[in-house]
Amino acid sequence: MKNHLYLFLAIMLIAISSNAQSWKVDANHSSIMFNAKHSGISFINGRFMEFEATMEGGTPEDFTGAKVSFTAQVNSINTGAEGRDNHLKRNDFFDMENHPTISFVSTSFTKTEDNMYTVVGNLTMKGNTKEVEIAAHHIGSTKTRDGRNKVGFQLTGNVDRNDFGVSGAAGSVAPIIEILCNVEVEEPKEN
């Protein structure tokens, strides 16, 4: 009898996980950006122009337990200054030749208050992986023209670049980097 119960529970878990909501990231309305304090008096901001992201689980009303991930191409970094972008790709910063991507995989997605979540996960830069915590604000939900659910998030957090060995220009660039991601996801079209 006990074995039958375990088998039943295993089948139910597989069924639940296979029915998890799948979301398609709308790359045209999403962005991965950052701000870095420069010389203690101003900020340089930038973004990664090429990235892939996924989101599984949750509903338009509650995303508790959802799973998110992204991979950004270091070569696509854009701060508005070509010389600076080329420097950021070198080994004292992102070391693009040996580490062409930056990635994040969530380990938890927890509701903290109305429309607010804490996302914890593993961020990998320059071959170093560290656990980070990001605040996720569920901006809102709507419908696409053909009736599919569409939702928007803004994710914010701070990362100490020295934890990842991204330590160039230590005299002029602050160690704490602000991360800001705007993300729109929608239910994929049925085939």
Side-chain angles (χ1 to χ4, degrees), residues 55 60-63 68 109-119 133-141 151-157 179-185:
M55 184 168 181
E61 297 79 29
D62 187 1
F63 287 87
V68 295
F109 203 114
T110 309
K111 192 168 194 172
T112 56
E113 57 185 273
D114 283 351
N115 298 322
M116 292 299 298
Y117 297 83
T118 296
V119 182
E133 185 176 295
I134 300 169
H137 179 199
H138 177 202
I139 303 297
S141 300
V151 298
F153 283 94
Q154 185 169 76
L155 298 98
T156 58
I179 307 298
L180 173 64
C181 302
N182 294 307
V183 181
E184 283 189 24
V185 297

Side-chain angles (χ1 to χ4, degrees), residues 84-159:
R84 179 172 49 231
D85 295 345
N86 289 335
H87 186 189
L88 289 171
K89 296 172 190 177
R90 295 199 312 241
N91 65 355
D92 57 333
F93 280 98
F94 291 110
D95 191 12
M96 182 186 75
E97 186 174 325
N98 295 306
H99 307 285
T101 62
I102 296 169
S103 64
F104 174 81
V105 178
S106 69
T107 56
S108 69
F109 203 114
T110 309
K111 192 168 194 172
T112 56
E113 57 185 273
D114 283 351
N115 298 322
M116 292 299 298
Y117 297 83
T118 296
V119 182
V120 177
N122 295 314
L123 179 65
T124 301
M125 287 193 295
K126 202 174 180 180
N128 298 299
T129 301
K130 303 286 181 186
E131 185 176 84
V132 297
E133 185 176 295
I134 300 169
H137 179 199
H138 177 202
I139 303 297
S141 300
T142 189
K143 296 280 187 180
T144 62
R145 290 183 183 154
D146 58 1
R148 292 173 292 121
N149 287 308
K150 185 170 190 165
V151 298
F153 283 94
Q154 185 169 76
L155 298 98
T156 58
N158 293 315
V159 173

